[in-house]
Amino acid sequence: VWWLMKKNYQELREIKASKGGLAIAFGCFDILHYGHLNFFEKVAKLTTCPIAIGVLPDEYVRATKGEDRPVNGNETRLNKVDEALKDGYSFLVNEKGDFSFYKEKFGVDSKEVLWCYPINALYKIKPTEFYYSTDFPLTKEILSVFEELNLKHQAVPYTEGVSSTEIINHT
């Protein structure tokens, strides 16, 4: 569809180069709700760079939310995020990095899916800014990634009282 702004990693690197920067954020966005939209709006207010929102893959969602998730698959979630963005780009966080590389480099031995998808995307895209919800598992290893990539980063307050998990549990 012509109005959708879905991009791949290479296109995002080109946008960064042509616009002088790129801000990205990630999420599962299983059932798009007010908390997600609030997050998008907060990020937009915090940056002057073009924004790209990464939709984490089904494998990541299953590993972090449970075997019965996601409710909606990659393409549905990507399309919903793309439609919801007022100004910005969407992309699927779909390139799986080599965990043994990250394990050796950073001494991490757990959360493989975190390193293989979102952290790998940071290395591949090399954005100038990264925004994350306050429920993101920020560790000293991830902070060292931010430092290595010279990545400006900022937590965005989590919208309490609304989540895909809560929506699922109330139905």
Side-chain angles (χ1 to χ4, degrees):
V1 182
W2 66 270
W3 67 85
L4 298 179
M5 299 297 288
K6 292 184 274 190
K7 300 295 178 191
N8 62 38
Y9 289 14
Q10 178 59 38
E11 290 169 323
L12 292 172
R13 287 189 295 268
E14 291 168 5
I15 290 166
K16 176 190 170 193
S18 70
K19 303 286 186 180
L22 179 69
I24 68 171
F26 304 126
C28 296
F29 311 114
D30 196 2
I31 299 172
L32 202 64
H33 54 70
Y34 169 75
H36 297 136
L37 302 177
N38 193 30
F39 179 74
F40 300 162
E41 288 177 15
K42 287 177 181 176
V43 170
K45 289 178 181 174
L46 292 169
T47 185
T48 58
C49 292
I51 299 167
I53 303 293
V55 175
L56 296 163
D58 292 348
E59 179 184 357
Y60 181 94
V61 179
R62 269 190 300 280
T64 58
K65 306 286 186 184
E67 281 300 315
D68 58 339
R69 303 279 296 275
V71 171
N72 294 297
N74 289 335
E75 286 302 312
T76 299
R77 292 181 293 117
L78 182 61
N79 287 335
K80 291 295 182 188
V81 167
D82 199 76
E83 291 168 6
L85 288 172
K86 292 185 174 111
D87 188 24
Y89 308 97
S90 64
F91 67 102
L92 184 61
V93 182
N94 62 349
E95 292 186 22
K96 189 172 184 176
D98 176 12
F99 181 63
S100 61
F101 168 78
Y102 297 115
K103 184 175 181 175
E104 184 177 315
K105 182 171 182 151
F106 295 100
V108 292
D109 57 4
S110 64
K111 305 255 187 225
E112 180 173 347
V113 73
L114 172 67
W115 290 86
C116 288
Y117 286 107
I119 301 301
N120 184 62
L122 293 177
Y123 273 96
K124 294 283 179 119
I125 298 168
K126 293 184 174 58
T128 47
E129 300 174 13
F130 177 60
Y131 295 90
Y132 52 93
S133 173
T134 50
D135 66 341
F136 179 75
L138 197 60
T139 64
K140 67 181 183 346
E141 293 86 5
I142 292 171
L143 288 170
S144 68
V145 169
F146 295 165
E147 185 178 325
E148 180 180 335
L149 295 175
N150 194 28
L151 182 58
K152 176 186 168 193
H153 56 94
Q154 184 171 343
V156 176
Y158 178 79
T159 304
E160 294 293 333
V162 61
S163 73
S164 296
T165 301
E166 290 175 3
I167 291 168
I168 291 165
N169 290 340
H170 281 97
T171 57

